[in-house]
Amino acid sequence: MVAEQKILDGAAFLKKYGSMLTDGLYMEQVPALTTLLYQGDISHSLYFIKQGSLRLWHNNGDKDITMQFFFENQMVSAFESIYLATASLYSIESLENTILYRLDRDNLLKLMDNSEELQHDILNFICERFINYQHYFLSRIKDSPAERYRDLVANEPRIIARVPQHYIASYLGITAVSLSRIKNRH
Amino acid sequence: MVAEQKILDGAAFLKKYGSMLTDGLYMEQVPALTTLLYQGDISHSLYFIKQGSLRLWHNNGDKDITMQFFFENQMVSAFESIYLATASLYSIESLENTILYRLDRDNLLKLMDNSEELQHDILNFICERFINYQHYFLSRIKDSPAERYRDLVANEPRIIARVPQHYIASYLGITAVSLSRIKNRH
DNA sequence: ATTAGTAATTAACAAATGTTAATGCGGAGA
DNA sequence: TCTCCGCATTAACATTTGTTAATTACTAAT
């Protein structure tokens, strides 16, 4: 009843359920700055990153709020948009030339119909994603941009190495100008 | 497969499932400032407010981040803590003298075992709660404290009328001093 | 190699909030 | 009624960020 197992990452998911997908899983390659999901649309695909990186963000008229970066072996989705068929609050875009596996909504739902274990994994996935979001937002509220930047440098080398500064600034909730100041303070 | 029905509020939930609970639902009355759930504990109760109000917040050493107020007929829980049996990120406390119905974890899980419809309602509940949180956090990030205060005055009369200012300030993400300035600006 | 366009840095100023502290207000209880 | 204590307001100052603009650095394409 209560989920104890760890959430599946993209690689583990594919290993576990890939064999059930004889023809529902597509591989595609997209260049940098390709939009995979537009904010306001209903999402109909779940992605797994084979190589490259993605950015997930919310647009608010004049400014972007970047909320997540994704890299190799991660599972990427606006799942609640897929599941509830509601407008996505987010856009998803490639940062680099990226190779993806794409699992379409119909195949995902068919798969869920045929596997109680998958339903279980998915419910876990949502709860974990929910908790992750709460951690992200809480850190965004309670830690200063400078603290969060230091944390990024210490714990997220891929973000520092592969993501342009102005996206990092957007992720930290500040302008590129302010991030530059923070980096060069002292 | 895909959930289309609207999320249940506490009253609708009790009406729909209350008859299945011959002895698992308890009524209790607590005075103001009573803690119902301590941050870090695993939650084992889901509440319905009959009368009164509650506050949900996260503590970060020196400061509180208030995230939600609850009033009559609302269903209140740190559901992911109940379901995944993980430490709650939040505390929940009464603001006023409050009368509650309490549904314990064991009874909730038993109920879920016996009702596929309830499982469905609960999954919807989580997805909707997730989306609500995202809206709350996004507004907290993209709107200024002054805008959010005006929004509160326009749309949340119960909060303005029944919640002390310093909790409202905490909800808006600012100090009580700053909220006082905003109120008296111009 | 040159050029053009984008990204990053730096500077100067305005605006908002945090912090600290002093004051005012108001209800609960002796 | 008086006192106490927590809450709200106001003031003064420091800190931070946003904004605008100018400059520099970098990258990609011709």
Side-chain angles (χ1 to χ4, degrees), chain A residues 75-106:
Chain A
M75 181 154 55
V76 182
S77 77
F79 188 83
E80 61 286 357
S81 172
I82 299 179
Y83 187 74
L84 293 180
T86 52
S88 172
L89 286 169
Y90 311 108
S91 296
I92 299 176
E93 184 182 271
S94 58
L95 284 172
E96 308 167 309
N97 187 348
T98 299
I99 301 171
L100 301 155
Y101 293 113
R102 173 168 56 81
L103 176 58
D104 282 344
R105 182 172 190 279
D106 290 347

PDB file of all heavy atoms in Angstrom, chain A residues 75-106:
ATOM      1  N   MET A  75      14.282  11.329 -16.521  1.00  0.00           N
ATOM      2  CA  MET A  75      12.940  11.267 -17.077  1.00  0.00           C
ATOM      3  C   MET A  75      12.351  12.674 -16.967  1.00  0.00           C
ATOM      4  O   MET A  75      12.430  13.294 -15.906  1.00  0.00           O
ATOM      5  CB  MET A  75      12.130  10.261 -16.254  1.00  0.00           C
ATOM      6  CG  MET A  75      10.717  10.039 -16.695  1.00  0.00           C
ATOM      7  SD  MET A  75      10.104   8.386 -16.222  1.00  0.00           S
ATOM      8  CE  MET A  75      10.401   8.376 -14.462  1.00  0.00           C
ATOM      9  N   VAL A  76      11.786  13.178 -18.037  1.00  0.00           N
ATOM     10  CA  VAL A  76      11.331  14.562 -18.075  1.00  0.00           C
ATOM     11  C   VAL A  76       9.869  14.628 -18.487  1.00  0.00           C
ATOM     12  O   VAL A  76       9.490  14.067 -19.516  1.00  0.00           O
ATOM     13  CB  VAL A  76      12.154  15.383 -19.096  1.00  0.00           C
ATOM     14  CG1 VAL A  76      11.719  16.832 -19.091  1.00  0.00           C
ATOM     15  CG2 VAL A  76      13.642  15.238 -18.826  1.00  0.00           C
ATOM     16  N   SER A  77       9.067  15.329 -17.673  1.00  0.00           N
ATOM     17  CA  SER A  77       7.667  15.493 -18.072  1.00  0.00           C
ATOM     18  C   SER A  77       6.996  16.571 -17.250  1.00  0.00           C
ATOM     19  O   SER A  77       7.441  16.916 -16.168  1.00  0.00           O
ATOM     20  CB  SER A  77       6.899  14.181 -17.878  1.00  0.00           C
ATOM     21  OG  SER A  77       6.621  14.001 -16.505  1.00  0.00           O
ATOM     22  N   ALA A  78       5.937  17.119 -17.819  1.00  0.00           N
ATOM     23  CA  ALA A  78       4.982  17.878 -17.011  1.00  0.00           C
ATOM     24  C   ALA A  78       3.872  16.888 -16.744  1.00  0.00           C
ATOM     25  O   ALA A  78       2.808  16.925 -17.356  1.00  0.00           O
ATOM     26  CB  ALA A  78       4.495  19.100 -17.776  1.00  0.00           C
ATOM     27  N   PHE A  79       4.155  15.963 -15.832  1.00  0.00           N
ATOM     28  CA  PHE A  79       3.289  14.790 -15.723  1.00  0.00           C
ATOM     29  C   PHE A  79       1.840  15.129 -15.441  1.00  0.00           C
ATOM     30  O   PHE A  79       0.924  14.529 -16.003  1.00  0.00           O
ATOM     31  CB  PHE A  79       3.799  13.818 -14.660  1.00  0.00           C
ATOM     32  CG  PHE A  79       3.039  12.543 -14.667  1.00  0.00           C
ATOM     33  CD1 PHE A  79       3.375  11.535 -15.559  1.00  0.00           C
ATOM     34  CD2 PHE A  79       1.924  12.366 -13.862  1.00  0.00           C
ATOM     35  CE1 PHE A  79       2.642  10.371 -15.623  1.00  0.00           C
ATOM     36  CE2 PHE A  79       1.177  11.218 -13.921  1.00  0.00           C
ATOM     37  CZ  PHE A  79       1.546  10.209 -14.802  1.00  0.00           C
ATOM     38  N   GLU A  80       1.626  16.097 -14.545  1.00  0.00           N
ATOM     39  CA  GLU A  80       0.241  16.418 -14.196  1.00  0.00           C
ATOM     40  C   GLU A  80      -0.519  16.915 -15.421  1.00  0.00           C
ATOM     41  O   GLU A  80      -1.723  16.713 -15.530  1.00  0.00           O
ATOM     42  CB  GLU A  80       0.186  17.427 -13.044  1.00  0.00           C
ATOM     43  CG  GLU A  80       0.830  18.780 -13.312  1.00  0.00           C
ATOM     44  CD  GLU A  80       2.352  18.730 -13.320  1.00  0.00           C
ATOM     45  OE1 GLU A  80       2.937  17.656 -13.057  1.00  0.00           O
ATOM     46  OE2 GLU A  80       2.953  19.771 -13.630  1.00  0.00           O
ATOM     47  N   SER A  81       0.184  17.536 -16.354  1.00  0.00           N
ATOM     48  CA  SER A  81      -0.465  17.960 -17.593  1.00  0.00           C
ATOM     49  C   SER A  81      -0.835  16.749 -18.444  1.00  0.00           C
ATOM     50  O   SER A  81      -1.907  16.691 -19.051  1.00  0.00           O
ATOM     51  CB  SER A  81       0.446  18.893 -18.385  1.00  0.00           C
ATOM     52  OG  SER A  81      -0.094  19.150 -19.665  1.00  0.00           O
ATOM     53  N   ILE A  82       0.034  15.768 -18.486  1.00  0.00           N
ATOM     54  CA  ILE A  82      -0.268  14.544 -19.222  1.00  0.00           C
ATOM     55  C   ILE A  82      -1.443  13.828 -18.569  1.00  0.00           C
ATOM     56  O   ILE A  82      -2.426  13.482 -19.227  1.00  0.00           O
ATOM     57  CB  ILE A  82       0.952  13.591 -19.234  1.00  0.00           C
ATOM     58  CG1 ILE A  82       2.154  14.239 -19.923  1.00  0.00           C
ATOM     59  CG2 ILE A  82       0.588  12.274 -19.927  1.00  0.00           C
ATOM     60  CD1 ILE A  82       3.386  13.358 -19.941  1.00  0.00           C
ATOM     61  N   TYR A  83      -1.343  13.645 -17.276  1.00  0.00           N
ATOM     62  CA  TYR A  83      -2.320  12.792 -16.600  1.00  0.00           C
ATOM     63  C   TYR A  83      -3.695  13.436 -16.512  1.00  0.00           C
ATOM     64  O   TYR A  83      -4.720  12.797 -16.766  1.00  0.00           O
ATOM     65  CB  TYR A  83      -1.817  12.422 -15.208  1.00  0.00           C
ATOM     66  CG  TYR A  83      -2.710  11.405 -14.538  1.00  0.00           C
ATOM     67  CD1 TYR A  83      -2.692  10.072 -14.951  1.00  0.00           C
ATOM     68  CD2 TYR A  83      -3.599  11.779 -13.540  1.00  0.00           C
ATOM     69  CE1 TYR A  83      -3.526   9.139 -14.374  1.00  0.00           C
ATOM     70  CE2 TYR A  83      -4.439  10.846 -12.954  1.00  0.00           C
ATOM     71  CZ  TYR A  83      -4.400   9.525 -13.375  1.00  0.00           C
ATOM     72  OH  TYR A  83      -5.236   8.608 -12.813  1.00  0.00           O
ATOM     73  N   LEU A  84      -3.715  14.710 -16.147  1.00  0.00           N
ATOM     74  CA  LEU A  84      -5.009  15.385 -16.006  1.00  0.00           C
ATOM     75  C   LEU A  84      -5.460  16.049 -17.302  1.00  0.00           C
ATOM     76  O   LEU A  84      -6.536  16.625 -17.361  1.00  0.00           O
ATOM     77  CB  LEU A  84      -4.942  16.439 -14.900  1.00  0.00           C
ATOM     78  CG  LEU A  84      -4.752  15.937 -13.472  1.00  0.00           C
ATOM     79  CD1 LEU A  84      -4.710  17.114 -12.510  1.00  0.00           C
ATOM     80  CD2 LEU A  84      -5.873  14.981 -13.072  1.00  0.00           C
ATOM     81  N   ALA A  85      -4.615  16.003 -18.330  1.00  0.00           N
ATOM     82  CA  ALA A  85      -4.930  16.653 -19.606  1.00  0.00           C
ATOM     83  C   ALA A  85      -5.224  18.130 -19.408  1.00  0.00           C
ATOM     84  O   ALA A  85      -6.168  18.687 -19.962  1.00  0.00           O
ATOM     85  CB  ALA A  85      -6.086  15.945 -20.304  1.00  0.00           C
ATOM     86  N   THR A  86      -4.409  18.762 -18.573  1.00  0.00           N
ATOM     87  CA  THR A  86      -4.559  20.201 -18.322  1.00  0.00           C
ATOM     88  C   THR A  86      -3.420  20.966 -18.983  1.00  0.00           C
ATOM     89  O   THR A  86      -2.374  20.393 -19.295  1.00  0.00           O
ATOM     90  CB  THR A  86      -4.515  20.497 -16.811  1.00  0.00           C
ATOM     91  OG1 THR A  86      -3.334  19.891 -16.257  1.00  0.00           O
ATOM     92  CG2 THR A  86      -5.729  19.935 -16.113  1.00  0.00           C
ATOM     93  N   ALA A  87      -3.642  22.257 -19.184  1.00  0.00           N
ATOM     94  CA  ALA A  87      -2.623  23.093 -19.798  1.00  0.00           C
ATOM     95  C   ALA A  87      -1.352  23.093 -18.952  1.00  0.00           C
ATOM     96  O   ALA A  87      -1.408  23.266 -17.739  1.00  0.00           O
ATOM     97  CB  ALA A  87      -3.133  24.525 -19.947  1.00  0.00           C
ATOM     98  N   SER A  88      -0.231  22.895 -19.598  1.00  0.00           N
ATOM     99  CA  SER A  88       1.037  22.892 -18.866  1.00  0.00           C
ATOM    100  C   SER A  88       1.388  24.295 -18.408  1.00  0.00           C
ATOM    101  O   SER A  88       1.224  25.264 -19.135  1.00  0.00           O
ATOM    102  CB  SER A  88       2.151  22.341 -19.751  1.00  0.00           C
ATOM    103  OG  SER A  88       3.400  22.519 -19.103  1.00  0.00           O
ATOM    104  N   LEU A  89       1.886  24.404 -17.180  1.00  0.00           N
ATOM    105  CA  LEU A  89       2.346  25.687 -16.661  1.00  0.00           C
ATOM    106  C   LEU A  89       3.737  26.014 -17.179  1.00  0.00           C
ATOM    107  O   LEU A  89       4.248  27.094 -16.933  1.00  0.00           O
ATOM    108  CB  LEU A  89       2.379  25.650 -15.128  1.00  0.00           C
ATOM    109  CG  LEU A  89       1.049  25.717 -14.410  1.00  0.00           C
ATOM    110  CD1 LEU A  89       1.220  25.396 -12.930  1.00  0.00           C
ATOM    111  CD2 LEU A  89       0.457  27.109 -14.569  1.00  0.00           C
ATOM    112  N   TYR A  90       4.336  25.076 -17.902  1.00  0.00           N
ATOM    113  CA  TYR A  90       5.748  25.206 -18.235  1.00  0.00           C
ATOM    114  C   TYR A  90       6.025  24.950 -19.703  1.00  0.00           C
ATOM    115  O   TYR A  90       5.276  24.246 -20.370  1.00  0.00           O
ATOM    116  CB  TYR A  90       6.575  24.211 -17.407  1.00  0.00           C
ATOM    117  CG  TYR A  90       6.223  24.270 -15.960  1.00  0.00           C
ATOM    118  CD1 TYR A  90       5.506  23.243 -15.358  1.00  0.00           C
ATOM    119  CD2 TYR A  90       6.569  25.372 -15.204  1.00  0.00           C
ATOM    120  CE1 TYR A  90       5.150  23.316 -14.022  1.00  0.00           C
ATOM    121  CE2 TYR A  90       6.222  25.463 -13.870  1.00  0.00           C
ATOM    122  CZ  TYR A  90       5.515  24.436 -13.283  1.00  0.00           C
ATOM    123  OH  TYR A  90       5.155  24.513 -11.967  1.00  0.00           O
ATOM    124  N   SER A  91       7.110  25.518 -20.156  1.00  0.00           N
ATOM    125  CA  SER A  91       7.682  25.129 -21.435  1.00  0.00           C
ATOM    126  C   SER A  91       8.923  24.292 -21.166  1.00  0.00           C
ATOM    127  O   SER A  91       9.562  24.419 -20.124  1.00  0.00           O
ATOM    128  CB  SER A  91       8.075  26.366 -22.248  1.00  0.00           C
ATOM    129  OG  SER A  91       6.934  27.131 -22.580  1.00  0.00           O
ATOM    130  N   ILE A  92       9.237  23.442 -22.138  1.00  0.00           N
ATOM    131  CA  ILE A  92      10.452  22.631 -22.050  1.00  0.00           C
ATOM    132  C   ILE A  92      11.219  22.805 -23.346  1.00  0.00           C
ATOM    133  O   ILE A  92      10.635  22.717 -24.434  1.00  0.00           O
ATOM    134  CB  ILE A  92      10.128  21.141 -21.811  1.00  0.00           C
ATOM    135  CG1 ILE A  92       9.379  20.970 -20.480  1.00  0.00           C
ATOM    136  CG2 ILE A  92      11.403  20.299 -21.815  1.00  0.00           C
ATOM    137  CD1 ILE A  92       8.940  19.537 -20.200  1.00  0.00           C
ATOM    138  N   GLU A  93      12.509  23.047 -23.232  1.00  0.00           N
ATOM    139  CA  GLU A  93      13.340  23.379 -24.390  1.00  0.00           C
ATOM    140  C   GLU A  93      14.708  22.725 -24.248  1.00  0.00           C
ATOM    141  O   GLU A  93      15.203  22.568 -23.140  1.00  0.00           O
ATOM    142  CB  GLU A  93      13.487  24.905 -24.450  1.00  0.00           C
ATOM    143  CG  GLU A  93      14.240  25.444 -25.625  1.00  0.00           C
ATOM    144  CD  GLU A  93      14.352  26.965 -25.539  1.00  0.00           C
ATOM    145  OE1 GLU A  93      13.452  27.654 -26.033  1.00  0.00           O
ATOM    146  OE2 GLU A  93      15.332  27.459 -24.945  1.00  0.00           O
ATOM    147  N   SER A  94      15.307  22.370 -25.361  1.00  0.00           N
ATOM    148  CA  SER A  94      16.658  21.811 -25.316  1.00  0.00           C
ATOM    149  C   SER A  94      17.670  22.932 -25.143  1.00  0.00           C
ATOM    150  O   SER A  94      17.535  24.005 -25.722  1.00  0.00           O
ATOM    151  CB  SER A  94      16.944  21.035 -26.602  1.00  0.00           C
ATOM    152  OG  SER A  94      16.802  21.887 -27.729  1.00  0.00           O
ATOM    153  N   LEU A  95      18.673  22.665 -24.328  1.00  0.00           N
ATOM    154  CA  LEU A  95      19.782  23.622 -24.164  1.00  0.00           C
ATOM    155  C   LEU A  95      20.889  23.318 -25.149  1.00  0.00           C
ATOM    156  O   LEU A  95      21.562  24.204 -25.659  1.00  0.00           O
ATOM    157  CB  LEU A  95      20.346  23.543 -22.745  1.00  0.00           C
ATOM    158  CG  LEU A  95      19.526  24.186 -21.623  1.00  0.00           C
ATOM    159  CD1 LEU A  95      20.126  23.835 -20.273  1.00  0.00           C
ATOM    160  CD2 LEU A  95      19.471  25.687 -21.807  1.00  0.00           C
ATOM    161  N   GLU A  96      21.098  22.024 -25.369  1.00  0.00           N
ATOM    162  CA  GLU A  96      22.161  21.572 -26.266  1.00  0.00           C
ATOM    163  C   GLU A  96      21.531  20.694 -27.335  1.00  0.00           C
ATOM    164  O   GLU A  96      20.344  20.379 -27.272  1.00  0.00           O
ATOM    165  CB  GLU A  96      23.190  20.742 -25.478  1.00  0.00           C
ATOM    166  CG  GLU A  96      23.734  21.424 -24.235  1.00  0.00           C
ATOM    167  CD  GLU A  96      24.493  20.478 -23.325  1.00  0.00           C
ATOM    168  OE1 GLU A  96      23.952  19.396 -22.991  1.00  0.00           O
ATOM    169  OE2 GLU A  96      25.611  20.806 -22.944  1.00  0.00           O
ATOM    170  N   ASN A  97      22.315  20.310 -28.272  1.00  0.00           N
ATOM    171  CA  ASN A  97      21.922  19.244 -29.185  1.00  0.00           C
ATOM    172  C   ASN A  97      21.605  18.017 -28.327  1.00  0.00           C
ATOM    173  O   ASN A  97      22.425  17.594 -27.526  1.00  0.00           O
ATOM    174  CB  ASN A  97      23.096  18.971 -30.137  1.00  0.00           C
ATOM    175  CG  ASN A  97      22.714  17.995 -31.236  1.00  0.00           C
ATOM    176  OD1 ASN A  97      21.655  17.364 -31.170  1.00  0.00           O
ATOM    177  ND2 ASN A  97      23.558  17.890 -32.239  1.00  0.00           N
ATOM    178  N   THR A  98      20.394  17.482 -28.466  1.00  0.00           N
ATOM    179  CA  THR A  98      19.941  16.482 -27.488  1.00  0.00           C
ATOM    180  C   THR A  98      19.288  15.283 -28.170  1.00  0.00           C
ATOM    181  O   THR A  98      18.510  15.432 -29.107  1.00  0.00           O
ATOM    182  CB  THR A  98      18.941  17.118 -26.501  1.00  0.00           C
ATOM    183  OG1 THR A  98      19.586  18.175 -25.797  1.00  0.00           O
ATOM    184  CG2 THR A  98      18.431  16.100 -25.506  1.00  0.00           C
ATOM    185  N   ILE A  99      19.620  14.098 -27.645  1.00  0.00           N
ATOM    186  CA  ILE A  99      19.016  12.852 -28.136  1.00  0.00           C
ATOM    187  C   ILE A  99      18.056  12.339 -27.068  1.00  0.00           C
ATOM    188  O   ILE A  99      18.423  12.194 -25.906  1.00  0.00           O
ATOM    189  CB  ILE A  99      20.087  11.789 -28.436  1.00  0.00           C
ATOM    190  CG1 ILE A  99      21.060  12.319 -29.497  1.00  0.00           C
ATOM    191  CG2 ILE A  99      19.434  10.501 -28.913  1.00  0.00           C
ATOM    192  CD1 ILE A  99      22.270  11.432 -29.704  1.00  0.00           C
ATOM    193  N   LEU A 100      16.826  12.084 -27.498  1.00  0.00           N
ATOM    194  CA  LEU A 100      15.754  11.743 -26.560  1.00  0.00           C
ATOM    195  C   LEU A 100      15.051  10.453 -26.933  1.00  0.00           C
ATOM    196  O   LEU A 100      14.974  10.101 -28.114  1.00  0.00           O
ATOM    197  CB  LEU A 100      14.687  12.845 -26.580  1.00  0.00           C
ATOM    198  CG  LEU A 100      15.086  14.264 -26.232  1.00  0.00           C
ATOM    199  CD1 LEU A 100      14.120  15.231 -26.897  1.00  0.00           C
ATOM    200  CD2 LEU A 100      15.096  14.439 -24.735  1.00  0.00           C
ATOM    201  N   TYR A 101      14.528   9.772 -25.925  1.00  0.00           N
ATOM    202  CA  TYR A 101      13.479   8.796 -26.159  1.00  0.00           C
ATOM    203  C   TYR A 101      12.169   9.460 -25.796  1.00  0.00           C
ATOM    204  O   TYR A 101      12.069  10.132 -24.775  1.00  0.00           O
ATOM    205  CB  TYR A 101      13.667   7.546 -25.295  1.00  0.00           C
ATOM    206  CG  TYR A 101      14.886   6.738 -25.658  1.00  0.00           C
ATOM    207  CD1 TYR A 101      15.959   6.640 -24.786  1.00  0.00           C
ATOM    208  CD2 TYR A 101      14.956   6.072 -26.874  1.00  0.00           C
ATOM    209  CE1 TYR A 101      17.077   5.900 -25.110  1.00  0.00           C
ATOM    210  CE2 TYR A 101      16.075   5.325 -27.219  1.00  0.00           C
ATOM    211  CZ  TYR A 101      17.137   5.246 -26.326  1.00  0.00           C
ATOM    212  OH  TYR A 101      18.232   4.530 -26.655  1.00  0.00           O
ATOM    213  N   ARG A 102      11.176   9.256 -26.634  1.00  0.00           N
ATOM    214  CA  ARG A 102       9.879   9.869 -26.383  1.00  0.00           C
ATOM    215  C   ARG A 102       8.818   8.781 -26.228  1.00  0.00           C
ATOM    216  O   ARG A 102       8.694   7.887 -27.079  1.00  0.00           O
ATOM    217  CB  ARG A 102       9.512  10.798 -27.548  1.00  0.00           C
ATOM    218  CG  ARG A 102       8.102  11.367 -27.472  1.00  0.00           C
ATOM    219  CD  ARG A 102       7.888  12.496 -28.478  1.00  0.00           C
ATOM    220  NE  ARG A 102       8.190  12.095 -29.854  1.00  0.00           N
ATOM    221  CZ  ARG A 102       7.351  11.418 -30.643  1.00  0.00           C
ATOM    222  NH1 ARG A 102       6.172  11.085 -30.219  1.00  0.00           N
ATOM    223  NH2 ARG A 102       7.726  11.096 -31.871  1.00  0.00           N
ATOM    224  N   LEU A 103       8.086   8.851 -25.131  1.00  0.00           N
ATOM    225  CA  LEU A 103       6.979   7.921 -24.906  1.00  0.00           C
ATOM    226  C   LEU A 103       5.698   8.732 -24.952  1.00  0.00           C
ATOM    227  O   LEU A 103       5.495   9.635 -24.143  1.00  0.00           O
ATOM    228  CB  LEU A 103       7.128   7.241 -23.530  1.00  0.00           C
ATOM    229  CG  LEU A 103       6.005   6.310 -23.086  1.00  0.00           C
ATOM    230  CD1 LEU A 103       5.775   5.181 -24.078  1.00  0.00           C
ATOM    231  CD2 LEU A 103       6.291   5.746 -21.695  1.00  0.00           C
ATOM    232  N   ASP A 104       4.823   8.403 -25.894  1.00  0.00           N
ATOM    233  CA  ASP A 104       3.617   9.208 -26.050  1.00  0.00           C
ATOM    234  C   ASP A 104       2.551   8.853 -25.026  1.00  0.00           C
ATOM    235  O   ASP A 104       2.515   7.757 -24.478  1.00  0.00           O
ATOM    236  CB  ASP A 104       3.049   9.037 -27.468  1.00  0.00           C
ATOM    237  CG  ASP A 104       3.845   9.854 -28.469  1.00  0.00           C
ATOM    238  OD1 ASP A 104       4.590  10.737 -28.022  1.00  0.00           O
ATOM    239  OD2 ASP A 104       3.729   9.590 -29.672  1.00  0.00           O
ATOM    240  N   ARG A 105       1.690   9.839 -24.805  1.00  0.00           N
ATOM    241  CA  ARG A 105       0.624   9.733 -23.811  1.00  0.00           C
ATOM    242  C   ARG A 105      -0.190   8.453 -23.974  1.00  0.00           C
ATOM    243  O   ARG A 105      -0.406   7.721 -23.007  1.00  0.00           O
ATOM    244  CB  ARG A 105      -0.282  10.957 -23.956  1.00  0.00           C
ATOM    245  CG  ARG A 105      -1.417  11.039 -22.985  1.00  0.00           C
ATOM    246  CD  ARG A 105      -2.099  12.396 -23.107  1.00  0.00           C
ATOM    247  NE  ARG A 105      -3.041  12.586 -22.021  1.00  0.00           N
ATOM    248  CZ  ARG A 105      -4.264  12.068 -22.019  1.00  0.00           C
ATOM    249  NH1 ARG A 105      -4.682  11.375 -23.041  1.00  0.00           N
ATOM    250  NH2 ARG A 105      -5.062  12.268 -20.976  1.00  0.00           N
ATOM    251  N   ASP A 106      -0.647   8.171 -25.187  1.00  0.00           N
ATOM    252  CA  ASP A 106      -1.488   6.996 -25.397  1.00  0.00           C
ATOM    253  C   ASP A 106      -0.780   5.717 -24.983  1.00  0.00           C
ATOM    254  O   ASP A 106      -1.363   4.843 -24.347  1.00  0.00           O
ATOM    255  CB  ASP A 106      -1.894   6.898 -26.885  1.00  0.00           C
ATOM    256  CG  ASP A 106      -2.865   8.000 -27.260  1.00  0.00           C
ATOM    257  OD1 ASP A 106      -3.400   8.648 -26.340  1.00  0.00           O
ATOM    258  OD2 ASP A 106      -3.076   8.215 -28.466  1.00  0.00           O
TER     259      ASP A 106
END
